[in-house]
Structure formats: C-alpha cells, structure tokens
Amino acid sequence: MKRIVAILLALALVMSCTVAFAAKNEKKNADDMNFEFIIDDDSATGTVNVYHWWTAGGEKDAIESVVAQFGDLYTGIEAKSNAIPGGAGGAMVMKVKVLQQTGKSPEAFQAHPGQEIEPYLQSDLLLKLNAIWEYADLEERALPGLVEMCTASDGNHYVVPIGIHKTNIILYNIHLFEELGVEIPDHEDITWDEFWAICDELAAKMPEGTYPLDLGDQKGWPACQVFENIMLGTDPQIYEDFINGNYNVDDVTRVLETYTRLMDYVAPDHNSRDWYHTTGAMVSGTCAMQIMGAWAQPLLTNMDQVYGEDYGVFTFPGTAGWFGMCVDGFVVSNDSADVASGIRWAFSVCTQDVQEYFSGLKESISPYMDTPDDVYNELTLHFKEQLMDEGTKVYPSITHGTAMPWSASTSLQTQIQEYATSTNHDAAYYANRIVNILREAGVKGDWDLVD
Ligand code: BGC
C-alpha cells in the first residue's frame, strides 16, 4: 500500500512539474525577430498586459492616455493596464517576479533604467530592444546623457524611456505661508540656513496638530528619497562614493544627523500616509511642505492647484545646480505569451503622439528632443530648461532604481523608514546598518558625478 501511495505521489509530482513547465512560454531572442515588420504590422492581433505603478491622480490619466493611443495605433491588440499601487515600483516588482516565476510574464512592464533592471538581465528575462532604438532613432532623439543612462551593463538597450522627473525639490503651500506671514524667499535655490529658518518659523506659527513637513512614507521609499536628497545636499562626493559602494560610516552618520534635525519638523504620524496623501495634507494645510519628486505636479493639478498661485517649489537645500534624475520607461519580457505585442507597446511609448499627450498629462519632461515645448506647463518647462542647461549636473536616483540594485535599495528604504519612525534617532547606529546593507548587496558602481 505504502508503495502505491509513493508511486502515486511521485506521479502527481511529475505531472504538476510538467504542467508548470508546459505553462512557461518559449523564450524569444531579439536577434531572431524582425522588429521592423512587427512594429509596422498595424493589423496584428493579440494582447499586451502592461504592469505599472501609476495610480495617483494625474499619473493615472497619463498612462490611460498611452493605453488609448496604443489602441489607435494597433486596433487589433488589446492593451490591458495592470496598476499595482505604491509608487516607485517596489510592489509592482514583487508582483512581476511572481508572474515571471509562474510562467505568466507580462508582455511589458514599467522600469527605471540602470541598476534596477540588472537582476532581470542576469536571469535572462528581458528582450533586447536595440532594434526599437534603431528603428525609432532614439540615440539621435534622446536628451543629452540619457543614452548612457539607458545602456545596460552588457552594452545593450532594454528600456524605452517615456518620461523624466526631477527628484530634488520641495513643494510648499503658498497660501499657508502667506496666512502665517512666513516670508517666501524670492529665489528657488534656498540654502540650508534658509531652509532651517523657514522650518523654525513655520513650527512656531503653525497651529497644534499641523507641521512644517510630512514624509508620507507608509511605503518606505519617500523616507529614502529624503535620505538621498540630504546626502547629495550634504556633499555630492558623499553621494558619488555611496552609490559606487565606497562605504563610509562617518559620512552616512553626517547625513543622518541632518535627517535627525529635519525629523523635528515632521508630523509624528508621517508613516501612516502614502506620498499622495501627504500631497493632499499639504494642500489642506496640515503640513506646509513636502519633499517629493516632480511627479507630485500632476497630482496637484488634479486637485486644481496651480503652480505659482497655490503651490511653489524650492530646490532641495544644498542641491542647487544639480538635477536628480528619475527616468521612467518600459521593458519587454522575452518569455510572455505575446512578445511581439510587448515590442509594439515599447515602441508606442516613444512615438511623438504618445510623447506629446503623456508629457502634458504626467507633467514629465519628454526624453526626446523632438517633443515640442508647448506641451509643457510653466513648471515642467522650467525643469526641462534646467536639465538642458550645460551648467547643470545630473545625478541618478537611489530610490528610483537607477543608482542601486533593488536588493540594496529596498532594504535601504526599510531601514531608513525604520530610522525615521524610531524615537531614537541614533545616527551612528543606523549608519552602520545602512553601510552593511550596501556591503551585503555588493553595491559597486562606476559613477563619476563630481568633477
Ligand atoms: C516614478 C514616477 C512616479 C512616482 C510615484 C516614481 O518611481 O518614476 O513616475 O510618478 O514613482 O508613483
């Protein structure tokens, strides 16, 4: 009897493995595919499952516009938009990994170029997209510096960029400043001294239960974004060393000491909200300022807030002349059920029509030179001009995937959120833990940011 049970169990195991194996799609090799034919075939039929994390007001409308335009371009292909909330990608990445392991890789998914995509490459899960870059002339069209950022460690392109945001900004509620009589500096590039003076004055004048700042770090990453801003604003050399894996507990301690000072002005329940709730809190005046990337703009527009009237923007202290670069793009799985439709999706995001609509709605800078400036509002155009200015230095984001592998950046997010939430802001203790994260993840970069 025992023997029969064992044989039946073994059979069941073999069958389940066979089913799991059969469910996996064949991996496609980009070199064996005719991209030109695939892209030009507007009578093709199929389905493209697209995963992304754009769920907040404004960014949601922007991705929906891409889906609609894809439908116009390829009428026979159904584009299914799968939004995994959370911002900055962490939750979506988990979902995509599960899908990949169960043989259900999405045709295309959102990604930041750089370190973030390296693990997929090591597992051979992405389709090389050099042929889209050639077909759509992306090297010629891309804004300066972008080609390099979008070239993977093996020298190939796997990401088609869709938009760019600046990360080192602070947004503030103009009405609140005015009501409280807190003077708004006549310049955007505030210094650390000016920043602390503003925080002090707000803290003294704001009614109980309201605060100069809030983090909205329920998901962890907004706390990490503040960390990277403080690091660059403390000393760009520290930032360069850090992302290159040159650990230094003293430097990280210095950064965290500034973070500790900043926490004095932050709402104590900061991690009970997501970043977009904090943007709402800033609009309603529960907090006066938010440290967030420029993707908060379309959300503010969605809340009928107008730049220059209702809200204003400071450069994060210490980062004047620097542009924290967050690049959004799409990658294509090489083992999905419909790889050709994935290629078509990735191609569609760089077309001029999509770029014009998307950039307007997402209030992001188009990665392509041929997107006309009249699609931008005043603030996005201002950021674009900063980015294009020869004197501006660009740095990659840790939190938004480019400067560090997920393995390091997600642990960093958790650690910094814990630090921000803890009542004991022991900078040296947390600096040691942070440095250990980098050591364990084997962070090794080759960035050259500082002259
Ligand atoms: C993306 C932005 C997005 C933000 C919040 C960032 O990682 O690059 O496009 O708006 O997360 O979801």
Side-chain angles (χ1 to χ4, degrees), residues 170 187 189-200 213 226-236 254-255 257-262 265 291 315-320:
I170 302 178
H187 49 280
D189 292 343
I190 54 167
T191 62
W192 278 109
D193 284 346
E194 284 169 323
F195 175 65
W196 296 128
I198 290 172
C199 288
D200 282 336
L213 285 161
V226 172
F227 173 77
E228 73 176 58
N229 283 341
I230 297 179
M231 185 175 269
L232 199 293
T234 302
D235 183 347
R254 217 175 120 199
V255 172
E257 277 164 0
T258 305
Y259 208 140
T260 302
R261 180 164 178 194
L262 185 128
Y265 305 101
I291 301 166
T315 310
F316 192 85
T319 70

Side-chain angles (χ1 to χ4, degrees), residues 86-100:
M92 188 215 74
V93 170
M94 290 305 154
K95 175 77 189 182
V96 166
K97 277 191 180 150
V98 172
L99 291 170
Q100 286 168 333

Side-chain angles (χ1 to χ4, degrees), residues 35-37 39-41 74 129-138 141 347 350:
F35 275 60
E36 207 172 317
F37 174 79
I39 291 168
D40 287 346
D41 184 9
Y74 298 105
L129 302 180
N130 295 0
I132 295 188
W133 276 70
E134 276 156 34
Y135 182 83
D137 217 7
L138 299 194
R141 293 172 55 205
F347 165 73
C350 69

Side-chain angles (χ1 to χ4, degrees), residues 34-45 70 72-75 77 131-132 135-136 340-341 343-345 347-348 351:
N34 184 340
F35 275 60
E36 207 172 317
F37 174 79
I38 291 170
I39 291 168
D40 287 346
D41 184 9
D42 53 15
S43 63
T45 54
F70 181 84
D72 294 343
L73 213 55
Y74 298 105
T75 48
I77 302 177
I132 295 188
Y135 182 83
S341 292
I343 293 174
R344 295 184 184 103
W345 172 270
F347 165 73
S348 78
T351 58

